[in-house]
Amino acid sequence: MPELPEVETMVRQLRPRLVGRTVTSAAVHWPRTVARPSARRFREGVSGRRIEALGRRGKYFLFDFDDGRSLVGHLRMSGRLFLVEPGEQDRRAEHTRASFDLDDGRRLVFVDVRKFGRLALVRRPEEAMPALGPEPLSPELDGAWMATALRSRRRMLKPLLLDQSFLAGLGNIYVDESLHRAGLHPLRLSDRVPRAKAEALAAAIREVLTAAIEADGSSFDTFYRTPEGQPGRFQDTFMVYGRHGKPCRTCGATIRRIVVGQRGTHLCPRCQSAPRNRR
DNA sequence: CAAGACTCCTGACGGC
DNA sequence: TGCCGTCAGGAGTCTT
Protein backbone atom coordinates (compact mmCIF):
# COMPACT_ATOMS: atom_id res chain seq x y z
CA MET A 1 0.00 0.00 0.00
CA PRO A 2 1.16 3.53 -0.43
CA GLU A 3 3.50 4.42 2.41
CA LEU A 4 6.14 7.12 2.67
CA PRO A 5 8.33 5.86 -0.22
CA GLU A 6 5.39 5.57 -2.60
CA VAL A 7 4.07 9.03 -1.76
CA GLU A 8 7.56 10.49 -2.05
CA THR A 9 8.03 8.86 -5.45
CA MET A 10 4.69 10.19 -6.61
CA VAL A 11 5.46 13.73 -5.48
CA ARG A 12 8.91 13.69 -7.05
CA GLN A 13 7.56 12.56 -10.39
CA LEU A 14 4.66 14.98 -10.44
CA ARG A 15 6.49 18.03 -9.12
CA PRO A 16 8.30 19.12 -12.33
CA ARG A 17 5.10 18.75 -14.35
CA LEU A 18 2.75 20.47 -11.93
CA VAL A 19 4.60 23.37 -10.35
CA GLY A 20 3.64 26.52 -12.23
CA ARG A 21 0.52 24.97 -13.75
CA THR A 22 -2.90 26.45 -13.16
CA VAL A 23 -6.00 24.38 -12.49
CA THR A 24 -8.57 25.59 -14.99
CA SER A 25 -11.43 23.50 -13.65
CA ALA A 26 -12.05 20.55 -11.38
CA ALA A 27 -14.61 17.77 -11.00
CA VAL A 28 -15.51 15.50 -8.10
CA HIS A 29 -17.02 12.17 -9.08
CA TRP A 30 -17.26 10.60 -5.63
CA PRO A 31 -18.18 13.34 -3.16
CA ARG A 32 -16.92 11.51 -0.07
CA THR A 33 -13.41 11.74 -1.52
CA VAL A 34 -13.43 15.40 -0.51
CA ALA A 35 -13.05 15.60 3.25
CA ARG A 36 -13.47 19.36 3.38
CA PRO A 37 -14.90 21.79 2.56
CA SER A 38 -17.93 20.66 0.53
CA ALA A 39 -17.32 19.09 -2.87
CA ARG A 40 -18.71 22.20 -4.52
CA ARG A 41 -16.55 24.63 -2.58
CA PHE A 42 -13.56 22.35 -3.18
CA ARG A 43 -14.12 22.45 -6.94
CA GLU A 44 -14.59 26.19 -6.95
CA GLY A 45 -11.71 26.74 -4.56
CA VAL A 46 -9.06 25.04 -6.69
CA SER A 47 -10.29 26.40 -10.01
CA GLY A 48 -8.13 29.20 -11.33
CA ARG A 49 -5.41 28.57 -8.79
CA ARG A 50 -1.77 28.15 -9.73
CA ILE A 51 0.24 25.34 -8.13
CA GLU A 52 3.32 26.79 -6.48
CA ALA A 53 4.79 23.76 -4.72
CA LEU A 54 4.33 20.05 -4.10
CA GLY A 55 5.32 18.47 -0.83
CA ARG A 56 4.90 15.50 1.46
CA ARG A 57 4.38 15.03 5.19
CA GLY A 58 4.28 11.44 6.38
CA LYS A 59 1.96 9.73 3.93
CA TYR A 60 0.16 12.96 3.06
CA PHE A 61 0.83 14.89 -0.14
CA LEU A 62 0.43 18.66 -0.30
CA PHE A 63 -0.16 21.09 -3.14
CA ASP A 64 0.40 24.73 -2.29
CA PHE A 65 -1.68 27.18 -4.32
CA ASP A 66 -1.01 30.81 -5.14
CA ASP A 67 -3.77 32.01 -2.83
CA GLY A 68 -2.04 30.54 0.20
CA ARG A 69 -4.35 27.59 0.49
CA SER A 70 -3.25 23.97 0.23
CA LEU A 71 -4.70 20.78 -1.15
CA VAL A 72 -3.88 18.05 1.35
CA GLY A 73 -4.46 14.47 0.28
CA HIS A 74 -4.05 10.91 1.48
CA LEU A 75 -3.97 7.86 -0.81
CA ARG A 76 -4.97 5.41 1.94
CA MET A 77 -5.24 1.93 0.45
CA SER A 78 -5.59 2.32 -3.27
CA GLY A 79 -5.40 5.99 -4.19
CA ARG A 80 -3.13 7.18 -6.99
CA LEU A 81 -2.51 10.41 -8.86
CA PHE A 82 -1.93 10.33 -12.60
CA LEU A 83 -1.48 12.80 -15.41
CA VAL A 84 -3.56 12.19 -18.49
CA GLU A 85 -2.13 13.65 -21.69
CA PRO A 86 -4.30 15.83 -23.96
CA GLY A 87 -6.48 13.63 -26.12
CA GLU A 88 -5.49 10.50 -24.22
CA GLN A 89 -8.25 8.23 -22.96
CA ASP A 90 -8.51 8.09 -19.19
CA ARG A 91 -8.32 4.32 -19.00
CA ARG A 92 -9.15 4.44 -15.30
CA ALA A 93 -12.20 6.62 -15.65
CA GLU A 94 -14.29 4.04 -13.84
CA HIS A 95 -12.36 4.60 -10.63
CA THR A 96 -11.54 8.27 -11.02
CA ARG A 97 -12.88 10.08 -7.94
CA ALA A 98 -11.71 13.60 -8.77
CA SER A 99 -10.01 15.29 -11.71
CA PHE A 100 -8.27 18.58 -12.36
CA ASP A 101 -7.90 20.16 -15.79
CA LEU A 102 -4.63 22.02 -16.20
CA ASP A 103 -3.71 25.00 -18.33
CA ASP A 104 -1.29 22.92 -20.42
CA GLY A 105 -4.09 20.65 -21.59
CA ARG A 106 -3.19 17.80 -19.29
CA ARG A 107 -5.54 16.43 -16.68
CA LEU A 108 -4.56 15.35 -13.20
CA VAL A 109 -6.76 12.49 -12.01
CA PHE A 110 -7.22 11.01 -8.55
CA VAL A 111 -7.98 7.33 -9.01
CA ASP A 112 -9.04 5.27 -6.02
CA VAL A 113 -10.63 1.85 -6.39
CA ARG A 114 -11.47 1.38 -2.72
CA LYS A 115 -12.62 4.93 -2.06
CA PHE A 116 -10.66 5.34 1.18
CA GLY A 117 -8.49 8.16 -0.16
CA ARG A 118 -9.24 11.75 0.86
CA LEU A 119 -8.62 15.25 -0.46
CA ALA A 120 -9.03 18.52 1.43
CA LEU A 121 -8.61 22.18 0.62
CA VAL A 122 -7.53 24.21 3.63
CA ARG A 123 -5.91 27.45 4.69
CA ARG A 124 -3.27 25.65 6.71
CA PRO A 125 -2.17 22.04 6.08
CA GLU A 126 -2.46 21.18 9.78
CA GLU A 127 -6.22 21.60 9.51
CA ALA A 128 -6.38 18.51 7.32
CA MET A 129 -3.84 16.37 9.16
CA PRO A 130 -3.83 14.93 12.66
CA ALA A 131 -0.81 15.52 14.90
CA LEU A 132 2.02 13.59 13.28
CA GLY A 133 5.28 12.30 14.66
CA PRO A 134 8.62 13.29 13.13
CA GLU A 135 9.75 12.45 9.62
CA PRO A 136 11.70 9.17 9.64
CA LEU A 137 14.29 10.60 7.25
CA SER A 138 14.88 13.83 9.13
CA PRO A 139 18.23 14.30 10.89
CA GLU A 140 16.60 14.31 14.30
CA LEU A 141 15.52 10.71 13.79
CA ASP A 142 18.70 9.16 15.13
CA GLY A 143 19.49 6.43 17.60
CA ALA A 144 19.23 8.76 20.56
CA TRP A 145 15.76 9.91 19.55
CA MET A 146 14.59 6.34 19.06
CA ALA A 147 16.00 5.16 22.37
CA THR A 148 14.27 7.95 24.25
CA ALA A 149 11.02 7.64 22.32
CA LEU A 150 10.77 3.87 22.86
CA ARG A 151 11.39 4.23 26.57
CA SER A 152 8.73 6.90 26.93
CA ARG A 153 6.00 4.43 26.03
CA ARG A 154 5.12 0.87 26.79
CA ARG A 155 3.69 -0.52 23.61
CA MET A 156 4.33 -3.41 21.26
CA LEU A 157 6.74 -2.32 18.55
CA LYS A 158 4.53 -3.21 15.61
CA PRO A 159 1.50 -1.07 16.48
CA LEU A 160 3.75 1.67 17.85
CA LEU A 161 5.64 2.03 14.57
CA LEU A 162 2.35 2.03 12.66
CA ASP A 163 1.11 4.88 14.85
CA GLN A 164 1.50 8.02 12.75
CA SER A 165 1.57 10.24 15.83
CA PHE A 166 4.71 8.40 16.94
CA LEU A 167 6.51 8.37 13.59
CA ALA A 168 4.98 9.62 10.33
CA GLY A 169 5.13 7.56 7.18
CA LEU A 170 5.57 3.89 7.99
CA GLY A 171 2.90 1.37 7.04
CA ASN A 172 2.58 -2.37 7.30
CA ILE A 173 5.25 -3.25 4.77
CA TYR A 174 8.04 -1.00 5.92
CA VAL A 175 7.44 -1.68 9.61
CA ASP A 176 7.85 -5.41 9.04
CA GLU A 177 10.94 -4.88 6.91
CA SER A 178 12.50 -2.45 9.37
CA LEU A 179 11.91 -4.70 12.39
CA HIS A 180 13.47 -7.63 10.60
CA ARG A 181 16.48 -5.58 9.58
CA ALA A 182 16.94 -4.45 13.17
CA GLY A 183 16.44 -7.97 14.53
CA LEU A 184 13.50 -6.95 16.68
CA HIS A 185 10.33 -8.96 17.28
CA PRO A 186 7.10 -7.05 16.48
CA LEU A 187 5.56 -8.05 19.84
CA ARG A 188 8.45 -6.75 21.91
CA LEU A 189 7.50 -3.96 24.27
CA SER A 190 9.05 -0.63 23.39
CA ASP A 191 10.46 0.06 26.83
CA ARG A 192 12.27 -3.26 26.82
CA VAL A 193 14.36 -2.56 23.76
CA PRO A 194 18.06 -2.26 24.62
CA ARG A 195 19.78 0.98 23.67
CA ALA A 196 21.86 -0.70 20.95
CA LYS A 197 18.74 -2.23 19.42
CA ALA A 198 16.97 1.13 19.44
CA GLU A 199 19.86 2.58 17.51
CA ALA A 200 19.74 -0.35 15.11
CA LEU A 201 16.04 0.26 14.57
CA ALA A 202 16.56 3.94 13.73
CA ALA A 203 19.22 2.96 11.23
CA ALA A 204 17.10 0.15 9.78
CA ILE A 205 14.13 2.44 9.17
CA ARG A 206 16.35 4.98 7.45
CA GLU A 207 18.01 2.32 5.28
CA VAL A 208 14.79 0.58 4.30
CA LEU A 209 12.99 3.80 3.38
CA THR A 210 15.97 5.19 1.47
CA ALA A 211 16.36 2.00 -0.53
CA ALA A 212 12.64 1.89 -1.24
CA ILE A 213 12.62 5.46 -2.54
CA GLU A 214 15.59 4.68 -4.76
CA ALA A 215 13.58 1.79 -6.18
CA ASP A 216 10.51 3.99 -6.80
CA GLY A 217 8.58 2.24 -4.05
CA SER A 218 6.93 -1.18 -3.90
CA SER A 219 4.34 -2.72 -6.21
CA PHE A 220 3.40 -6.08 -4.82
CA ASP A 221 -0.16 -6.14 -6.08
CA THR A 222 -2.05 -4.75 -9.04
CA PHE A 223 -2.58 -1.35 -7.50
CA TYR A 224 0.47 0.75 -7.03
CA ARG A 225 2.09 2.40 -10.01
CA THR A 226 4.16 5.55 -10.15
CA PRO A 227 2.59 8.53 -11.90
CA GLU A 228 4.82 7.59 -14.85
CA GLY A 229 2.89 4.33 -14.98
CA GLN A 230 5.79 2.16 -13.92
CA PRO A 231 5.71 -0.29 -11.03
CA GLY A 232 8.18 0.19 -8.19
CA ARG A 233 10.93 -2.35 -7.72
CA PHE A 234 11.44 -2.55 -3.96
CA GLN A 235 9.10 -5.53 -3.60
CA ASP A 236 11.82 -7.65 -5.19
CA THR A 237 13.98 -7.11 -2.14
CA PHE A 238 11.44 -7.77 0.62
CA MET A 239 13.01 -9.81 3.39
CA VAL A 240 9.82 -10.80 5.21
CA TYR A 241 6.71 -9.04 3.90
CA GLY A 242 4.52 -11.54 2.06
CA ARG A 243 7.24 -14.21 2.34
CA HIS A 244 5.69 -16.43 5.02
CA GLY A 245 6.57 -20.06 4.40
CA LYS A 246 9.70 -19.10 2.49
CA PRO A 247 13.26 -19.21 3.82
CA CYS A 248 14.72 -16.14 5.49
CA ARG A 249 17.21 -14.50 3.18
CA THR A 250 19.48 -13.91 6.15
CA CYS A 251 19.46 -17.19 8.06
CA GLY A 252 17.30 -19.67 6.15
CA ALA A 253 14.68 -20.16 8.86
CA THR A 254 11.06 -20.22 7.67
CA ILE A 255 9.36 -16.81 7.65
CA ARG A 256 6.22 -16.71 9.82
CA ARG A 257 3.05 -14.67 9.58
CA ILE A 258 1.16 -13.65 12.69
CA VAL A 259 -1.61 -11.13 13.32
CA VAL A 260 -0.90 -8.10 15.50
CA GLY A 261 -3.53 -5.45 15.95
CA GLN A 262 -5.55 -6.82 13.04
CA ARG A 263 -2.50 -6.49 10.79
CA GLY A 264 -0.72 -9.27 8.99
CA THR A 265 2.79 -9.30 10.44
CA HIS A 266 5.77 -11.07 8.94
CA LEU A 267 8.91 -12.08 10.77
CA CYS A 268 11.83 -14.47 10.93
CA PRO A 269 11.62 -16.43 14.19
CA ARG A 270 15.39 -16.84 14.29
CA CYS A 271 16.53 -13.31 13.36
CA GLN A 272 13.82 -11.73 15.53
CA SER A 273 13.79 -13.67 18.78
CA ALA A 274 10.49 -13.80 20.65
CA PRO A 275 10.22 -11.39 23.54
CA ARG A 276 9.51 -12.49 27.07
CA ASN A 277 7.37 -9.46 27.79
CA ARG A 278 4.92 -10.95 30.24
CA ARG A 279 4.16 -7.77 32.15
C1' DC B 1 -2.54 4.82 28.43
C1' DA B 2 -2.81 0.48 25.67
C1' DA B 3 -5.07 -2.51 22.68
C1' DG B 4 -8.83 -4.91 20.44
C1' DA B 5 -13.10 -4.53 17.61
C1' DC B 6 -15.42 -2.41 14.08
C1' DT B 7 -16.02 0.48 9.91
C1' DC B 8 -15.25 2.18 5.35
C1' DC B 9 -14.61 -0.22 0.23
C1' DT B 10 -13.57 -3.22 -3.69
C1' DG B 11 -11.15 -6.82 -6.16
C1' DA B 12 -8.85 -11.11 -5.77
C1' DC B 13 -9.05 -15.63 -4.50
C1' DG B 14 -10.21 -20.20 -2.45
C1' DG B 15 -13.77 -23.55 -2.02
C1' DC B 16 -17.49 -26.09 -3.63
C1' DT C 1 -19.05 -21.95 -14.69
C1' DG C 2 -20.46 -19.27 -11.08
C1' DC C 3 -21.77 -17.98 -6.55
C1' DC C 4 -20.26 -16.84 -1.95
C1' DG C 5 -17.49 -16.09 2.02
C1' DT C 6 -13.08 -14.26 3.40
C1' DC C 7 -9.17 -11.37 3.28
C1' DA C 8 -6.24 -7.13 2.76
C1' DG C 9 -5.12 -2.77 4.90
C1' DG C 10 -4.73 3.13 6.65
C1' DA C 11 -6.75 5.31 10.00
C1' DG C 12 -10.67 7.09 12.68
C1' DT C 13 -13.88 5.83 16.36
C1' DC C 14 -15.64 3.27 20.05
C1' DT C 15 -15.12 -0.17 23.73
C1' DT C 16 -12.71 -2.90 27.05
Side-chain angles (χ1 to χ4, degrees):
Chain A
M1 305 300 127
E3 304 179 29
L4 187 154
E6 290 74 35
V7 179
E8 180 65 25
T9 298
M10 181 185 84
V11 166
R12 287 184 185 186
Q13 292 191 1
L14 289 175
R15 184 179 287 129
R17 310 183 86 167
L18 288 182
V19 171
R21 296 273 65 79
T22 294
V23 176
T24 54
S25 65
V28 176
H29 306 102
W30 180 256
R32 294 185 65 179
T33 292
V34 176
R36 59 189 294 182
S38 65
R40 181 183 61 80
R41 290 179 61 200
F42 177 86
R43 264 190 288 114
E44 295 171 354
V46 299
S47 298
R49 298 274 63 81
R50 190 163 57 89
I51 301 170
E52 301 207 313
L54 258 69
R56 176 192 62 73
R57 175 78 174 97
K59 302 176 194 173
Y60 290 83
F61 56 89
L62 300 90
F63 291 21
D64 292 336
F65 290 114
D66 59 352
D67 64 350
R69 292 206 276 185
S70 298
L71 187 164
V72 180
H74 199 300
L75 302 172
R76 290 290 181 88
M77 301 298 301
S78 60
R80 291 138 70 178
L81 284 175
F82 288 102
L83 277 172
V84 178
E85 298 296 319
E88 181 189 346
Q89 275 285 1
D90 180 359
R91 312 189 307 278
R92 314 169 192 84
E94 183 188 354
H95 297 127
T96 295
R97 310 306 179 193
S99 55
F100 308 84
D101 291 312
L102 306 174
D103 61 349
D104 64 356
R106 293 193 176 100
R107 172 179 286 176
L108 178 68
V109 295
F110 182 70
V111 177
D112 184 20
V113 171
R114 293 184 187 171
K115 299 178 176 174
F116 289 163
R118 291 293 180 265
L119 304 176
L121 181 66
V122 290
R123 295 268 172 209
R124 300 159 43 76
E126 307 80 65
E127 297 172 37
M129 297 187 287
L132 297 174
E135 285 290 320
L137 295 177
S138 69
E140 71 170 292
L141 216 301
D142 56 10
W145 182 91
M146 186 63 76
T148 302
L150 292 184
R151 268 202 314 272
S152 72
R153 318 231 190 162
R154 186 183 184 80
R155 293 182 62 184
M156 295 188 293
L157 290 177
K158 169 85 183 215
L160 179 60
L161 293 175
L162 284 175
D163 184 341
Q164 303 298 297
S165 70
F166 177 76
L167 194 57
L170 296 181
N172 210 37
I173 295 173
Y174 297 108
V175 167
D176 284 5
E177 292 296 315
S178 297
L179 287 173
H180 175 267
R181 191 179 185 93
L184 282 166
H185 196 286
L187 296 180
R188 181 175 290 272
L189 290 178
S190 58
D191 64 349
R192 301 199 48 168
V193 174
R195 168 98 193 183
K197 279 292 187 183
E199 293 173 354
L201 178 59
I205 290 170
R206 176 177 302 277
E207 290 158 7
V208 166
L209 294 180
T210 301
I213 291 171
E214 283 174 7
D216 288 341
S218 305
S219 305
F220 63 93
D221 60 20
T222 57
F223 291 128
Y224 176 72
R225 289 292 183 280
T226 74
E228 310 271 340
Q230 301 299 312
R233 301 174 304 282
F234 192 68
Q235 68 281 2
D236 300 334
T237 58
F238 284 168
M239 298 297 279
V240 288
Y241 189 81
R243 296 195 68 245
H244 43 295
K246 295 180 179 168
C248 174
R249 291 182 160 134
T250 300
C251 76
T254 302
I255 301 299
R256 287 192 58 204
R257 180 183 185 279
I258 61 177
V259 175
V260 185
Q262 290 84 243
R263 292 289 179 282
T265 299
H266 311 76
L267 65 110
C268 169
R270 190 179 299 167
C271 296
Q272 300 162 267
S273 59
R276 279 185 289 273
N277 294 328
R278 309 313 157 216
R279 92 192 89 263

